[in-house]
Amino acid sequence: MDMPQSQEAQQIKRLALIASDTERAQEAFQELVQTNDWVPQDEADALVVLGGDGFMLQTLHAMLDTNRIIPAYGMNLGTIGFLMNRYRNGKTLAKRVAKARALRIAPITMQAVTKDGSRHAMRAINEVSLLRETRQTAKIEVSVDDRVRIKELVCDGVLLATPAGSTAYNLSANGPILPLDSELLALTPISAFRPRRWGGAILPDRSAVTFRVLEPEKRPVSAVADQKELRDIAEVALKIDRDTELTLLFDPGHALDERIVAEQFVV
């Protein structure tokens, strides 16, 4: 959900700074730490994140785990930087953050049941993937809003991706790229054998999706919520959690929309 430029960003007064452990990010950290007044993260109104998309994802998960969620302004010192702004050093950083456009993203909540009947809850910002554990193909029943849509998906796996995750594993599996403010989800098969022609679906993000593993003893399946794995899955229920929305800050005129379009024409 897109937010007005001044509603949230202009309320930011105190900034914290963190960086990934890569050489480029650490060099930038040493430059910036001298040019701005920084506070500890637990005292900050917003967090400046130096690194790539992976480090931004790690940082957002840390916020979810500690239940202290503040806006994050990323500067790209990684590879793609889909969730990041262009890196610039200097004393204008606080002004950039104050003028930034705020965009909210909501994680997927995963309620999983394993073969032994135990229940587990996880959250994913990018995607939840179900993946076969052995050489046997997986067989998975796919339901959307309590209606069975595919009785038996024979595949290496299947995933549900948010817009933030649509350019990650979802894109590698030939899933669609979703604009960050689209309020959509990508339901994407991974190496589907049957139905042969099913290429996935785009769903409203209010949809509730359930994956039920068929023949779990013979065809074991794991569930991965971003980087956290749970093995021997029987069933997974997924939905967007609007109660724990995260906020990303982007520069005005940020070329994110152009990059979303351009990614779809890469050959």
Side-chain angles (χ1 to χ4, degrees):
M1 179 183 298
D2 205 2
M3 298 179 62
Q5 177 180 326
S6 59
Q7 180 176 342
E8 185 161 338
Q10 287 190 353
Q11 298 176 3
I12 295 170
K13 304 299 181 184
R14 298 170 297 177
L15 295 174
L17 178 68
I18 62 170
S20 71
D21 59 4
T22 66
E23 183 177 350
R24 289 180 65 203
Q26 287 298 314
E27 288 176 355
F29 180 90
Q30 294 303 323
E31 290 180 6
L32 288 175
V33 78
Q34 304 296 328
T35 59
N36 293 272
D37 294 327
W38 305 101
V39 299
Q41 187 172 340
D42 59 1
E43 299 176 9
D45 301 316
L47 181 62
V48 175
V49 182
L50 305 178
D53 287 337
F55 186 64
M56 175 61 83
L57 190 67
Q58 176 184 328
T59 300
L60 296 176
H61 269 289
M63 290 188 192
L64 291 175
D65 292 342
T66 60
N67 204 31
R68 186 174 191 276
I69 298 173
I70 58 176
Y73 179 91
M75 288 202 289
N76 186 32
L77 290 159
T79 305
I80 298 176
F82 185 74
L83 303 177
M84 317 295 279
N85 298 283
R86 180 179 298 177
Y87 174 74
R88 295 173 187 161
N89 59 10
K91 296 183 179 181
T92 61
L93 180 56
K95 294 180 179 179
R96 288 177 66 189
V97 174
K99 294 179 180 179
R101 177 174 64 100
L103 191 144
R104 290 183 177 178
I105 59 174
I108 299 172
T109 59
M110 179 180 84
Q111 302 292 332
V113 181
T114 55
K115 289 190 299 187
D116 62 7
S118 60
R119 296 180 178 274
H120 304 264
M122 295 181 182
R123 286 182 287 198
I125 297 166
N126 270 4
E127 77 279 315
V128 171
S129 307
L130 266 64
L131 304 167
R132 65 185 176 105
E133 295 179 7
T134 68
R135 61 182 178 82
Q136 295 281 0
T137 56
K139 290 186 177 181
I140 300 169
E141 178 189 87
V142 179
S143 298
V144 179
D145 295 330
D146 297 322
R147 180 177 176 182
V148 176
R149 294 292 182 175
I150 298 180
K151 292 183 178 180
E152 185 179 88
L153 175 63
V154 183
C155 57
D156 283 352
V158 63
L159 64 86
L160 186 71
T162 66
S166 67
T167 59
Y169 189 13
N170 172 71
L171 182 59
S172 298
N174 296 317
I177 296 176
L178 305 175
L180 284 177
D181 57 356
S182 64
E183 299 185 357
L184 298 172
L185 298 170
L187 176 59
T188 303
I190 303 169
S191 300
F193 179 70
R194 287 197 309 267
R196 286 187 182 274
R197 296 183 180 180
W198 187 64
I202 296 175
L203 306 173
D205 70 357
R206 62 181 179 274
S207 303
V209 177
T210 302
F211 299 134
R212 186 169 70 89
V213 179
L214 308 177
E215 304 179 32
E217 295 295 338
K218 180 180 179 181
R219 304 171 186 274
V221 169
S222 65
V224 182
D226 289 342
Q227 286 85 35
K228 295 182 179 179
E229 182 183 24
L230 185 64
R231 296 180 70 82
D232 298 332
I233 293 296
E235 185 173 295
V236 167
L238 307 172
K239 64 179 181 179
I240 287 292
D241 181 10
R242 287 295 179 196
D243 293 331
T244 52
E245 287 185 326
L246 299 151
T247 300
L248 295 177
L249 299 175
F250 292 102
D251 291 331
H254 185 271
L256 181 61
D257 291 340
E258 167 57 27
R259 289 164 63 191
I260 290 170
V261 173
E263 283 285 347
Q264 299 174 75
F265 292 91
V266 174
V267 294

